[in-house]
């Protein structure tokens, strides 16, 4: 049972049982009392996160990755997707607290944006208090990263990861992408016919992954199981005329790819 009162089906899956009831809960219009409770909880969760083994693992994975990339923090921006309603879900609050800690730890000076169609007015207010620019309009992660960009996407649908890759599928651009999200190595284990391959499967040739460890049955497990820091710095070393960059996915490979 998690903090929102819902059971998770199986270790490492993070999939909700009682989905219709959960959806009704998360889509409910938050009240001022919900907002006040969420604001207080965020302060508590910030303290818990910074002293957790999850944060220690995340910092280590990110630091090791940035040391390889040698990115300039002054150019770095963050875009968060799929976090849900902060006022209706404690798991969503855990994720925005994690995102805020990332911004502080990395000293991000560029845009810090969070996109979520489920946002209500109080969610947007809380996001603003945490120094995020919130939007209920989502670009579906179809964003072209002309400068180093961190995509914060824990437990997002598979199609959104594919959209990030599709929008940056260039030798000169894919190396600007860092994703904190579902382990791509798990997707690579799912054997699919060649004609059904998406950008996600094709990215195996250039992907680097550093796992973020979270202990099972801890309060952070539901929100951050099977997550990793994912980069594509190998892309810069592959010639622009390599057949890899001419890859085009069949639309069916995306629309039929499922949610996780």
């Amino acid at each position: 049972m998690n903090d929102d009162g819902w059971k998770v089906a199986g270790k490492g899956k993070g999939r909700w049982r009682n989905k219709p009831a959960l959806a009704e809960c998360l889509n409910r219009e938050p009240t001022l009392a919900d907002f006040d409770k969420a604001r207080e909880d965020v302060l508590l969760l910030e303290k818990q996160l910074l002293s957790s083994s999850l944060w220690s693992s995340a910092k280590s994975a990110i630091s090791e990755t940035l040391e390889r990339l040698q990115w300039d923090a002054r150019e770095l921006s963050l875009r968060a997707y799929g976090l849900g309603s902060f006022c209706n879900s404690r798991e969503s609050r855990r994720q925005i607290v994690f995102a805020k800690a990332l911004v502080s730890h990395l000293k991000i000076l560029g845009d810090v944006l969070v996109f979520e169609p489920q946002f209500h007015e109080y969610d947007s207010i809380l996001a603003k208090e945490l120094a995020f620019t919130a939007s209920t309009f989502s670009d579906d992660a179809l964003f072209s990263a002309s400068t180093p960009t961190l995509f914060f996407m824990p437990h997002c649908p598979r199609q959104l990861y594919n959209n990030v890759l599709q929008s940056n599928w260039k030798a000169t651009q894919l190396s600007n992408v860092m994703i904190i999200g579902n382990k791509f190595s798990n997707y690579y284990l799912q054997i699919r016919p060649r004609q059904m391959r998406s950008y996600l499967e094709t990215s195996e040739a250039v992907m680097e992954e550093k796992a973020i460890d979270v202990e099972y049955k801890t309060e952070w497990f539901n929100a951050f199981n099977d997550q990793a820091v994912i980069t594509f710095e190998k892309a810069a070393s592959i010639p622009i005329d390599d057949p890899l960059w001419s890859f085009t996915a069949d639309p069916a490979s995306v629309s039929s790819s499922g949610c996780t």
Side-chain angles (χ1 to χ4, degrees):
M1 189 76 69
N2 86 321
D3 298 305
D4 298 316
W6 308 95
K7 291 183 178 180
V8 175
K11 179 178 178 180
K13 296 297 183 183
R15 295 180 178 177
W16 299 102
R17 293 175 180 161
N18 200 358
K19 287 184 179 179
L22 177 64
E24 181 179 351
C25 169
L26 297 184
N27 290 325
R28 178 178 58 84
E29 185 74 35
T31 65
L32 179 58
D34 293 325
F35 172 71
D36 289 338
K37 178 183 177 181
R39 179 194 267 167
E40 285 185 22
D41 195 38
V42 161
L43 295 176
L44 175 63
L45 290 173
E46 285 181 314
K47 295 178 181 178
Q48 292 179 352
L49 173 66
L50 296 179
S51 62
S52 70
S53 60
L54 165 67
W55 183 240
S56 295
S57 175
K59 284 195 299 181
S60 176
I62 293 166
S63 296
E64 181 179 318
T65 301
L66 288 176
E67 188 174 340
R68 292 198 321 267
L69 295 176
Q70 297 185 331
W71 278 359
D72 186 343
R74 293 172 296 181
E75 297 183 343
L76 183 60
S77 62
L78 181 145
R79 303 173 73 84
Y81 294 90
L83 304 191
S85 169
F86 310 137
C87 293
N88 284 333
S89 168
R90 199 173 199 212
E91 300 308 324
S92 297
R93 293 195 288 275
R94 292 189 196 282
Q95 292 176 344
I96 193 63
V97 162
F98 191 103
K100 182 185 177 186
L102 284 174
V103 173
S104 177
H105 177 65
L106 299 177
K107 298 180 173 59
I108 295 176
L109 301 178
D111 293 335
V112 179
L113 310 172
V114 56
F115 299 87
E116 178 49 67
Q118 291 187 15
F119 272 173
H120 302 280
E121 180 181 3
Y122 285 127
D123 294 312
S124 297
I125 293 172
L126 184 55
K128 186 175 181 180
E129 288 187 0
L130 296 174
F132 286 84
T133 299
S135 175
T136 56
F137 170 79
S138 178
D139 60 6
D140 292 327
L142 290 166
F143 176 77
S144 180
S146 58
T147 58
T149 305
L150 171 55
F151 293 83
F152 183 65
M153 308 172 67
H155 297 303
C156 271
R158 177 179 185 152
Q159 182 171 343
L160 287 189
Y161 299 119
N162 191 77
N163 288 354
V164 171
L165 297 174
Q166 178 181 348
S167 299
N168 295 281
W169 199 254
K170 300 176 183 177
T172 57
Q173 194 161 304
L174 194 55
S175 56
N176 284 333
V177 172
M178 178 192 294
I179 297 173
I180 293 181
N182 299 352
K183 292 178 180 176
F184 278 26
S185 56
N186 288 344
Y187 292 120
Y188 300 152
L189 295 175
Q190 301 170 14
I191 306 301
R192 292 157 61 87
R194 180 170 294 277
Q195 67 270 23
M196 294 297 291
R197 286 173 65 86
S198 68
Y199 290 94
L200 197 158
E201 286 91 5
T202 308
S203 71
E204 185 174 8
V206 292
M207 191 276 293
E208 296 279 350
E209 179 181 275
K210 184 68 176 176
I212 296 175
D213 297 324
V214 57
E215 295 180 17
Y216 183 47
K217 292 187 177 180
T218 64
E219 63 272 21
W220 296 95
F221 181 80
N222 292 345
F224 291 102
N225 67 85
D226 288 331
Q227 301 298 287
V229 180
I230 301 159
T231 55
F232 309 91
E233 62 262 40
K234 290 180 183 178
S237 64
I238 298 179
I240 59 174
D241 59 350
D242 190 276
L244 178 70
W245 306 120
S246 62
F247 171 78
T248 302
D250 185 321
S253 70
V254 178
S255 62
S256 64
S257 61
C259 292
T260 56

